[in-house]
Each structure stands twice: as structure tokens, then as C-alpha cells.
Amino acid sequence: GAGGSIGSELCRQIMAVGPSKLLMVDQSEFALYAIHQDLLESFPGVDSVLVPLLGSVQDEDRMREVMSTWRPNTVYHAAAYKHVPIVEHNMAEGIKNNVFGTLSAALAAADNQVANFVLISTDKAVRPTNVMGASKRLSEMVLQALAVTAIQTKFSMVRFGNVLDSSGSVVPKFRQQIRGGGPITVTHPEITRYFMTISEASQLVIQSGAMTTRGDVFVLDMGQPVKIFALACRMIELAGLTVKDDVNPTGDIAIEIVGMRPGEKLHEELLMGDNPESTSHPRIIKAHEEFLPWEQLEPQLQKLKIALDVNDIGAIRLLMQTLVTGYTPIDEIVDWLHTKDRAQLSGS
């Protein structure tokens, strides 16, 4: 995921400390081109070798080829489908990419003696209400299980909330809506989210990976959650405009409440357990999360893969609920193919 919001910032920060080689892997040709050009322009004359590699984490052969050829010391795994409603509407693809993509990359890393493998996770993995969050929690569980069996690779994961200005986040969306004259659309007047800058999150990801022992789940201190309605008001004010509402009907930009989206949570959490442990960094906490040993998890993953291969959405959801503790879907299944098939069966 080198071309994504977090991945590209990780590349910049890693380049700043002069690695011998930086392997940039992404399935998006344009995203890979963009970060490669960015680094060439930002770090002229640097001795680091830049290697832009096209490939999907779901392609285990490609992952093994890359890691056996270049023998990286550290892998930062930031490749994921993360947009909650889109993954909710495309369940099988989200799980294939987020869970089995993580598994293929992790197995390739372990087999090629990669020293450190760091997964970028999310606060939506905690007591998830959506497929995206559940898939990321299962990704964490995969690494927790492998961490026990892999001798030479230290697996860890870093969990945090939204990053400002990332692709698909509310800040660029609100900015665009303000430029268009409004309205700004908010799903619920009380909805809150944790926020951190991309640069800050990436720095803490690198520091978390450096302090891992084995199978650690790190949680970043995101401060206090932000009320999205208040954020919308503040962005309108920062643009030099006024909020249009009942109190000020002649204002510039209205805020419209549009209703919660499929799988969306009102408030996110960062910890499942109540026994977090402090670390040597004041902004990084270590969580203690239960997981299944590999010998128990692997056969369940095989069952899940079979259901994914035939796109049995009902079975997929049931298996995810069985595997991921606390996964409680709040909506009916909205997967596009499942609802289309169901509509055809009912004759509508």
C-alpha cells in the first residue's frame, strides 16, 4: 500500500533516514507512479535505491518473489480496503484483500526471514459493527497467531483512528462541499471520531514497530474524539463563511443530516480489553487482546476461504461472527451481489 495515505507518508519518513533500499508495492499503477515521482523530487541525490513494484497483497506468489528477491528487513503492511460502506457492499472482496492479503504477505515475510512485519490497523477493529472493522480485527488475529509460530519474524500491529486529509475521509469531503456552496452532509448530529495527522500517525507507526517484541497490538493515543457536526461548523468558519441554520437562515453553508450509512458506528473505540499497558513512548499503548492459536485459526480460515470462493455471503457473515469476538452487525446484509440475487429470487 505504498501509494496510499499512510503508505506514502511512511515512504517519505523512511527516506528521510536514508535506507539502503526502499521497496514500494502497490496494486494501483498511478498511486505507485505518484509516490515514486514524489520521492525522486523530494530526495534528490540520496543514495537510497527506490524500487516501485506493482502487485497485490492477494497474490502470494508475487509477495514471495518480491521478498525472496530483495530480502527486506522490515515490511509495513498498509494495503487495505478501508471505506466502511464500500466494503459493506462488497463483503467478499473486502475480506479477501484485508484478511487473506495480510495472510499471504505475512507468510511470505516469515518464509523469507523478514525481521519485522507491521500491520496498519484501525479503531474500527474494536467490537466491530461492519465488515471492514471485522476484517481488520481478523487480520490482527492472523498476525497474533503467526507471531507464536514464526521464529525469525516479529509481527506487530498498530491500531489508530481516522487520519486528517486521508483519501475518503470527511475533511477533504467537507472542503469540497464548502467549495461547492454546500450543504455539508453529516450522517448523525452526535457522531464522533478520533483524528490524527497523517505525519503524526506514520511517525508513531515506525516507533511502534521498533519497540515490538512479538505479536504486540499497539494503540496510538488519539486524544479526545471529535464531534463531526462541530468539525463541520469549524471548517465553515475557517473558510470565512457562516453556518446556515434556523438561527441564521441567511448563512452561507447549510449542514444536512443524511442518516447513518451501512455498518457505521456512532462512536469508535480503541481498546477491547481493560488492561492496557504503557510503553516507553507516552503516545503508544500496548493492548492485550485474545486470539486463537494458529492450529485452531487455520482450519477456520480455510472454511472462510471456501465461502469466499463461492461468494456465499450469508455463510461469510456467520463465519466472521464466529471468528471475531464482539463482531455485531447493526444492519441487514447489503452486499450488492447478495441483494441482487435475493431480489431476483423473490421475483422483484
Side-chain angles (χ1 to χ4, degrees):
S5 303
I6 292 292
S8 58
E9 182 60 22
L10 283 170
C11 288
R12 295 183 194 99
Q13 294 194 20
I14 291 165
M15 278 297 289
V17 295
S20 60
K21 298 181 185 68
L22 178 61
L23 314 178
M24 300 167 288
V25 183
D26 207 292
Q27 67 174 342
S28 165
E29 182 189 33
F30 177 74
L32 188 61
Y33 167 80
I35 185 56
H36 188 211
Q37 293 302 306
D38 183 320
L39 297 180
L40 289 174
E41 293 169 9
S42 301
F43 298 92
V46 173
D47 291 334
S48 303
V49 177
L50 294 175
V51 185
L53 295 157
L54 280 170
S56 166
V57 289
Q58 295 185 59
D59 185 345
E60 190 169 341
D61 289 339
R62 179 63 168 166
M63 292 298 102
R64 290 183 183 278
E65 288 170 353
V66 167
M67 294 191 202
S68 64
T69 301
W70 295 99
R71 296 285 177 176
N73 300 100
T74 300
V75 171
Y76 292 100
H77 178 46
Y81 292 146
K82 64 174 188 176
H83 194 273
V84 169
I86 287 182
V87 175
E88 205 69 18
H89 285 298
N90 298 272
M91 285 177 61
E93 291 306 307
I95 294 167
K96 285 177 188 176
N97 192 69
N98 293 358
V99 177
F100 289 92
T102 297
L103 177 59
S104 71
L107 290 175
D111 288 349
N112 288 284
Q113 292 80 51
V114 171
N116 292 289
F117 186 104
V118 184
L119 169 71
I120 308 301
S121 193
T122 171
D123 56 356
K124 293 172 180 62
V126 179
R127 282 179 278 274
T129 58
N130 52 65
V131 179
M132 193 282 275
S135 70
K136 293 298 283 185
R137 175 56 193 142
L138 189 50
S139 301
E140 293 180 353
M141 291 170 63
V142 165
L143 293 197
Q144 287 177 286
L146 288 177
V148 179
T149 61
I151 299 170
Q152 293 176 294
T153 303
K154 293 179 181 178
F155 290 103
S156 63
M157 51 233 80
V158 186
R159 188 187 290 164
F160 52 91
N162 295 11
V163 285
L164 291 166
D165 266 349
S166 68
S167 59
S169 77
V170 295
V171 172
K173 179 182 177 183
F174 286 176
R175 195 179 291 130
Q176 182 179 13
Q177 289 176 332
I178 290 169
R179 280 199 299 265
I184 285 182
T185 53
V186 176
T187 59
H188 191 284
E190 299 301 321
I191 197 166
T192 62
R193 289 292 180 266
Y194 289 97
F195 284 99
M196 182 177 276
T197 66
I198 295 175
S199 174
E200 192 176 19
S202 300
Q203 287 172 20
L204 292 173
V205 164
I206 292 170
Q207 293 183 54
S208 298
M211 67 172 66
T212 189
T213 51
R214 192 169 293 277
D216 295 313
V217 180
F218 294 108
V219 179
L220 304 187
D221 179 0
M222 303 285 293
Q224 294 301 310
V226 174
K227 199 169 181 178
I228 300 301
F229 190 91
L231 174 65
C233 293
R234 183 68 178 143
M235 287 187 66
I236 291 169
E237 292 165 1
L238 288 172
L241 303 169
T242 58
V243 178
K244 182 179 181 180
D245 55 18
D246 293 341
V247 177
N248 184 22
T250 61
D252 302 301
I253 305 289
I255 299 175
E256 182 181 345
I257 305 300
V258 295
M260 301 280 279
R261 300 172 300 177
E264 191 170 39
K265 235 179 180 180
L266 198 58
H267 308 293
E268 300 291 358
E269 306 168 86
L270 287 164
L271 289 167
M272 274 184 280
D274 55 2
N275 56 345
E277 179 185 335
S278 61
T279 68
S280 57
H281 195 291
R283 300 289 304 280
I284 301 171
I285 304 162
K286 190 185 291 188
H288 295 279
E289 312 286 24
E290 295 181 358
F291 64 96
L292 292 175
W294 181 246
E295 59 270 18
Q296 294 179 34
L297 181 61
E298 186 180 24
Q300 295 301 315
L301 290 174
Q302 289 303 317
K303 289 181 184 177
L304 180 59
K305 188 175 187 306
I306 291 168
L308 288 167
D309 287 344
V310 296
N311 204 46
D312 187 340
I313 299 300
I316 291 168
R317 179 183 264 199
L318 286 173
L319 283 164
M320 291 295 289
Q321 287 180 268
T322 301
L323 281 166
V324 180
T325 302
Y327 173 37
T328 309
I330 56 175
D331 294 301
E332 295 295 317
I333 294 174
V334 294
D335 180 274
W336 291 126
L337 297 182
H338 179 82
T339 52
K340 176 79 159 53
D341 290 343
R342 192 171 56 187
Q344 288 177 335
L345 287 171
S346 66
S348 57

